[in-house]
Amino acid sequence: MEKYDIIIIGSGPAGLTSGIYAGRQGTKTLMIDKGPAGGLGLEVPMMENYPGYEIIAGMSLIKEMKKQALKTTPLKEMEEILSVQPNEDNFLIKSNKGEYLSKSIILCTGNQHRKLGVKGEDKFLGRGVCYCATCDGPLFAGKKVFMIGGGNTAVQEAIFLKNIGCDVTLVHRRDELRADKYLQKKLETLNIGIIWDTVVEEIKGEISLETIVLKNVKTSQENEVEAQGIFISVGDIPINKLAKELGVNLDQSGYIITDKFQKTNIPRVYAAGDITGGYKQWVIACSEGAVAAMAAYDDLEKIY
Ligand SMILES: Cc1cc2nc3c(=O)[nH]c(=O)nc-3n(C[C@H](O)[C@H](O)[C@H](O)COP(=O)(O)OP(=O)(O)OC[C@H]3O[C@@H](n4cnc5c(N)ncnc54)[C@H](O)[C@@H]3O)c2cc1C
């Protein structure tokens, strides 16, 4: 069985940064991701708040980070970790492809998209219902789409959809947006329409999405509108299954609790990035990933 000093589970911005730091420290480290490396980073259309770049697409930055991490740290993609258990002074890590032993673990498993939970949402997934504008948006150029949500991600994605030629309208359940002011200004400049105080009641169609039923939360009035696409961005759910199994302490929302060295309550288990809650930002995921790798190294020094 392959043995490591550090196994990093998840290779989004947090995991890749942990990989860069851990590899350069000389520890025997492996990064594993159930998808392609990049995580939610791959979905970021254009980022304007990552230091050093006035504007950069998530995919481009991931490509560079991956190249840098791979210089010192191997990566296994399309391999899902199914369980992690303490095993004497190691952790036994089982994936859908194999088993590993590691002295320490850095959990960088991020979040998954929250669903609306309305009728038709699952039925039309991939046939009009989408959770990632960067991935699926180009299929809807020239088509009528709705973006559901009011935070930074929803507004960024609405702007992206408009820029690639979609006829996009934002639907938000409140009467003001949570998104940063500079993003709201862009919405205005691009003349992207907003339907306020409104939620989606149902998603309808035959083979693919045809209409969505909107409901005004103040008047309770319902309105069925034609749509070829609906993009949903209404929050995230932490991917904490492995953390739970390990007995890692979570907060009320299911995010991993860490100290300032990214240590969890379980010795030699660290966590970094969106899975630790708080501000979900690229630069924060990177910085936590770096701290976790450095702390893991320091703790390994004590046991060797
Ligand atoms: C549309 C959009 C726009 C955004 N815009 C910005 C922005 O402008 N600026 C900014 O700073 N941030 C932005 N963000 C947020 C930023 O992308 C995230 O904060 C960042 O990706 C978090 O990185 P992470 O590594 O913690 O998690 P993720 O990127 O989510 O990566 C987690 C990884 O863990 C893997 N994983 C999970 N479970 C397992 C398992 N059991 N086995 C193996 N692998 C597993 C997943 O496959 C995934 O690759 C945006 C996000 C989105 C979606």
Side-chain angles (χ1 to χ4, degrees):
M1 195 183 313
E2 291 175 45
K3 283 189 179 173
Y4 290 90
D5 294 319
I6 305 176
I7 287 194
I8 299 165
I9 305 177
S11 301
L16 287 172
T17 310
S18 282
I20 292 167
Y21 272 74
R24 285 170 58 83
Q25 290 163 172
T27 40
K28 190 178 178 206
T29 304
L30 174 66
M31 300 179 286
I32 304 184
D33 202 294
K34 66 179 177 181
L40 285 187
L42 295 171
E43 300 185 15
V44 179
M46 281 296 164
M47 186 160 56
E48 296 182 54
N49 53 10
Y50 189 79
Y53 296 91
E54 276 182 30
I55 187 161
I56 185 159
M59 257 179 226
S60 310
L61 190 51
I62 288 294
K63 197 172 156 205
E64 293 305 319
M65 290 178 69
K66 183 174 161 183
K67 197 164 79 185
Q68 191 177 1
L70 283 173
K71 279 183 160 180
T72 52
T73 306
L75 163 70
K76 297 197 180 188
E77 296 176 283
M78 316 312 284
E79 177 166 346
E80 182 171 4
I81 302 302
L82 302 175
S83 75
V84 182
Q85 291 150 7
N87 185 286
E88 295 173 4
D89 58 347
N90 281 291
F91 293 95
L92 174 65
I93 296 158
K94 293 184 183 169
S95 80
N96 57 346
K97 296 191 179 165
E99 294 187 1
Y100 308 90
L101 282 175
S102 183
K103 293 250 174 278
S104 33
I105 292 175
I106 305 180
L107 294 166
C108 302
T109 47
N111 294 303
Q112 64 198 35
H113 299 296
R114 186 179 292 283
K115 289 184 172 185
L116 284 175
V118 299
K119 195 170 165 205
E121 185 175 11
D122 289 339
K123 181 175 173 193
F124 296 111
L125 178 65
R127 289 183 287 140
V129 173
C130 309
Y131 297 88
C132 170
T134 313
C135 325
D136 304 322
L139 302 170
F140 294 88
K143 296 186 176 162
K144 187 162 181 55
V145 301
F146 289 85
M147 181 78 225
I148 317 299
N152 280 342
T153 302
V155 172
Q156 264 179 313
E157 295 205 321
I159 293 166
F160 173 79
L161 290 169
K162 179 77 178 190
N163 283 334
I164 60 168
C166 298
D167 173 6
V168 58
T169 305
L170 193 72
V171 176
H172 186 43
R173 63 191 165 129
R174 300 191 213 283
D175 58 7
E176 59 180 345
L177 300 171
R178 267 182 297 113
D180 292 343
K181 292 284 176 249
Y182 81 95
L183 288 170
Q184 296 193 33
K185 220 175 170 75
K186 276 196 175 172
L187 276 182
E188 261 178 60
T189 314
L190 289 168
N191 277 322
I192 296 174
I194 306 176
I195 303 179
W196 299 106
D197 301 314
T198 297
V199 294
V200 179
E201 280 288 283
E202 191 177 344
I203 297 168
K204 292 166 119 181
E206 286 294 325
I207 292 162
S208 54
L209 165 65
E210 289 169 13
T211 60
I212 58 175
V213 180
L214 299 174
K215 180 178 166 186
N216 185 297
V217 291
K218 288 192 172 156
T219 63
S220 291
Q221 195 180 333
E222 291 194 358
N223 188 17
E224 189 165 341
V225 292
E226 278 183 26
Q228 285 153 309
I230 175 172
F231 288 81
I232 299 165
S233 176
V234 292
D236 313 297
I237 300 172
I239 302 178
N240 58 16
K241 179 179 158 278
L242 300 173
K244 272 186 185 163
E245 275 174 14
L246 268 167
V248 167
N249 285 342
L250 306 175
D251 68 15
Q252 279 185 340
S253 308
Y255 292 99
I256 296 177
I257 299 171
T258 61
D259 67 8
K260 68 177 178 178
F261 296 105
Q262 302 307 128
K263 296 182 189 192
T264 69
N265 58 306
I266 308 284
R268 284 180 284 115
V269 176
Y270 312 81
D274 283 4
I275 187 61
T276 66
Y279 296 113
K280 292 172 194 153
Q281 289 287 287
W282 196 302
V283 70
I284 294 170
C286 292
S287 90
E288 290 187 358
V291 172
M294 293 169 88
Y297 175 78
D298 285 346
D299 290 343
L300 282 167
E301 288 252 282
K302 289 175 200 150
I303 59 170
Y304 280 132

